[in-house]
């Protein structure tokens, strides 16, 4: 078989380049390992101290990989396996290979647009109103579950400004005024009062002043800027 053609084995999509070294593709089984290693390496090479002040990064590149890989291996990968097998999502090993090559080539010059290629490796097949188990299943990346323990949800539209909300994830704008009106609304400009990063257009709420600060994303750091947007599936990876 020519390497690069993905094989469906036991209901799980594999690429020939499962170890990440073959140009034919990076299989689903290796996705979380390769993504974790890439994310943590570039985080510790490229991020500012402020951006690295993040509980999801642990305390070093090595512990970051262990933490991130462990969570994704236990929580995300089994769900993705099942979704691929059921046809709810398509995983593209060739796109993952191209994305890794792109990010490795860019290094600390990587932009948010470069990092977003990680999300293009998944292609949701479930339309609005269909059943989903993870954001990746939905064409619009929005799987709403009735409660935190539910395994199955529904692909739903984003809530408009003014709609009641409990989390940032629900809102079309990406901001829920959690500690105020409890409604969706636009993100706030630099200098505005804020509580959390997603309150701000810059995704940077300064703890010492409680104000929206300047953008953090001036390099290849993957833990600031647009990757914190609710319309990327990043939230489902932690």
């Amino acid at each position: 078989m020519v390497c690069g053609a993905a094989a469906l084995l036991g209901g799980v999509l594999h690429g020939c380049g499962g170890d990440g070294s073959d140009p034919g593709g990076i299989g689903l089984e290796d996705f979380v390992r390769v993504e974790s290693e890439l994310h943590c390496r570039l985080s510790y090479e490229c991020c500012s101290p402020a951006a690295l002040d993040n509980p999801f990064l642990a305390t070093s590149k090595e512990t970051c990989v262990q933490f991130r890989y462990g969570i994704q291996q236990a929580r995300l990968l089994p769900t993705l396996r099942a979704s691929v097998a059921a046809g709810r999502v398509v995983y593209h090993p060739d796109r993952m290979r191209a994305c890794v090559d792109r990010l490795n080539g860019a290094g600390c010059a990587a932009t948010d647009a470069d990092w977003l290629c990680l999300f293009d490796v998944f292609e949701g097949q479930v339309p609005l109103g269909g059943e989903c188990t993870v954001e990746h299943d939905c064409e619009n990346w929005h799987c709403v579950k009735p409660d935190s323990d539910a395994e199955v949800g529904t692909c739903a539209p984003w809530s408009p400004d003014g709609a009641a909300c409990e989390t940032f994830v629900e809102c079309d704008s990406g901001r829920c005024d959690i500690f105020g009106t409890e409604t969706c609304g636009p993100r706030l400009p630099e200098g505005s009062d804020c509580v959390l990063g997603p309150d701000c257009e810059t995704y940077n709420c300064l703890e010492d002043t409680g104000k929206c600060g300047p953008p953090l994303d001036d390099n290849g750091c993957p833990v600031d800027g647009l990757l914190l947007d609710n319309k990327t599936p990043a939230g489902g990876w932690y």
Side-chain angles (χ1 to χ4, degrees), residues 198-228:
D199 284 327
C200 306
E201 292 175 347
T202 60
Y203 304 92
N204 181 22
C205 181
L206 301 174
E207 291 185 12
D208 55 343
T209 64
K211 302 286 187 181
C212 292
L216 288 170
D217 193 19
D218 58 356
N219 53 28
C221 180
V223 293
D224 57 23
L226 293 178
L227 285 191
L228 299 181

Side-chain angles (χ1 to χ4, degrees), residues 10 20 24 30 39 49 61 70 75 80 87-88 98 100 114-115 119 135 140 164 166 177 179 182 209 220 223 228 234:
D30 286 321
H39 183 282
K61 179 176 69 176
R75 298 182 183 178
L80 289 177
R88 291 188 295 269
V100 169
D114 291 321
W115 276 102
F119 309 140
E135 289 87 350
N140 70 336
E166 296 181 355
D177 187 9
F179 300 103
E182 296 184 340
T209 64
V223 293
L228 299 181

Side-chain angles (χ1 to χ4, degrees), residues 159-163 165 168 171-178 181-190 192-203 212 229-231:
S159 298
D161 287 357
C165 60
F168 292 97
C171 301
D172 187 49
S173 66
R175 177 177 179 260
C176 175
D177 187 9
I178 297 173
T181 63
E182 296 184 340
T183 59
C184 296
R187 285 199 170 99
L188 304 173
E190 191 172 339
S192 301
D193 292 335
C194 59
V195 178
L196 299 169
D199 284 327
C200 306
E201 292 175 347
T202 60
Y203 304 92
C212 292
D229 188 82
N230 66 314
K231 290 186 179 178

Side-chain angles (χ1 to χ4, degrees), residues 121-183:
V121 305
F122 296 98
E123 188 176 355
Q125 303 296 298
V126 182
L128 291 176
E131 288 190 348
C132 54
T133 58
V134 67
E135 289 87 350
H136 307 61
D137 292 343
C138 300
E139 292 177 343
N140 70 336
W141 287 95
H142 193 208
C143 180
V144 176
K145 298 180 179 180
D147 57 67
S148 59
D149 295 324
E151 294 185 0
V152 178
T154 302
C155 293
W158 304 92
S159 298
D161 287 357
C165 60
E166 296 181 355
T167 67
F168 292 97
V169 174
E170 304 167 51
C171 301
D172 187 49
S173 66
R175 177 177 179 260
C176 175
D177 187 9
I178 297 173
F179 300 103
T181 63
E182 296 184 340
T183 59

Side-chain angles (χ1 to χ4, degrees), residues 9 30 44 52 81 83 104 110 127 140 173 176 204 222:
L9 302 175
D30 286 321
Y44 278 87
L52 286 174
R81 285 190 191 120
S83 285
N104 278 330
N140 70 336
S173 66
C176 175
N204 181 22

